[in-house]
């Protein structure tokens, strides 16, 4: 059962990474549509940007992220993609500051979806790595549920933060949350030097 996963010695480190890795991205995108509306994007523009450009970029990112996992290795890929998520949050911050205009927002949204797809591919691969052979379905379900709870909570709280503090503070906070993923990767893979550069320590 899921209780057995939580009793693993490495469960706190696994969950720490899972719960933080997409946190900044979820916090930012939770207010993306209201932000676009405030910046003068009509519903048709939003549909084109998020539904077409964003969706295609996300799928390309997932394929690209999966393809890069082997040459980069899990730890390096998680760090690089996590760092790129910080960059995309900063690009939203630049847009919130009124710089770059509509062209910048189009580029920022498209690249954010691309990077999000890459990061998601790396995260899901890591989750599969930490599934025990005899309990793979349960272990993956517990981890996937943690992702849903963490990102759902971040999106739900995003409006409560953006409304009183504004979009500049909101996207700045998103960048800080996204940056927390990098030390979480280091914490999970802290013993990897003893087992090879791309192997995490998993305790049955």
């Amino acid at each position: 059962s899921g209780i057995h996963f939580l009793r693993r010695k490495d469960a706190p480190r696994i969950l720490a990474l899972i719960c933080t890795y997409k946190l900044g991205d979820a916090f930012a995108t939770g207010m993306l549509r209201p932000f676009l509306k405030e910046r003068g994007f009509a519903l048709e523009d939003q549909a084109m940007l998020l539904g077409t450009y964003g969706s295609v970029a996300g799928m390309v990112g997932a394929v690209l992220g999966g393809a890069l996992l082997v040459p980069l290795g899990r730890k390096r890929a998680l760090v690089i993609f996590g760092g790129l998520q910080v960059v995309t949050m900063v690009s939203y911050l630049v847009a919130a500051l009124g710089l770059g205009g509509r062209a910048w927002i189009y580029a920022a949204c498209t690249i954010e979806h691309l990077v999000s797809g890459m990061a998601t591919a790396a995260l899901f691969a890591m989750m599969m790595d930490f599934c025990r052979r005899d309990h793979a379905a349960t272990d993956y379900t517990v981890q996937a549920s943690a992702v849903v709870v963490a990102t759902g909570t971040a999106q739900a709280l995003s409006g409560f933060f953006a409304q009183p503090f504004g979009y500049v503070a909101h996207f700045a906070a998103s960048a800080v949350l996204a940056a927390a993923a990098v030390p979480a990767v280091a914490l999970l893979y802290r013993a990897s030097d003893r087992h090879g550069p791309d192997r995490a320590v998993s305790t049955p």
Side-chain angles (χ1 to χ4, degrees), residues 84-186:
L84 289 175
Q85 286 188 122
V86 179
V87 174
T88 61
M89 298 302 99
V90 173
S91 71
Y92 282 146
L93 173 59
V94 171
L97 289 169
L99 305 175
R102 290 174 68 92
W104 180 273
I105 294 176
Y106 267 97
C109 288
T110 303
I111 294 173
E112 181 267 319
H113 280 76
L114 177 74
V115 170
S116 180
M118 296 167 67
T120 299
L123 179 63
F124 285 2
M126 181 279 293
M127 288 161 53
M128 288 187 284
D129 289 343
F130 283 93
C131 291
R132 296 163 296 177
R133 182 173 301 176
D134 297 335
H135 306 278
T138 300
D139 287 355
Y140 192 84
T141 299
V142 172
Q143 295 177 82
S145 297
V147 173
V148 172
V149 170
T151 55
T153 301
Q155 289 183 332
L157 294 177
S158 62
F160 292 101
F161 186 91
Q163 184 174 12
F165 298 110
Y167 288 113
V168 172
H170 175 72
F171 290 123
S174 300
V176 173
L177 291 174
V182 176
V185 173

Side-chain angles (χ1 to χ4, degrees), residues 6 8 19 29 32 46 49 65 78 83 86 88 108 117 127 133 144 151-152 181-182 202:
L6 298 176
R8 293 169 52 168
C19 291
T29 56
L32 189 54
Q46 295 181 40
L49 177 55
L78 285 165
V86 179
T88 61
M127 288 161 53
R133 182 173 301 176
T151 55
V182 176
S202 179

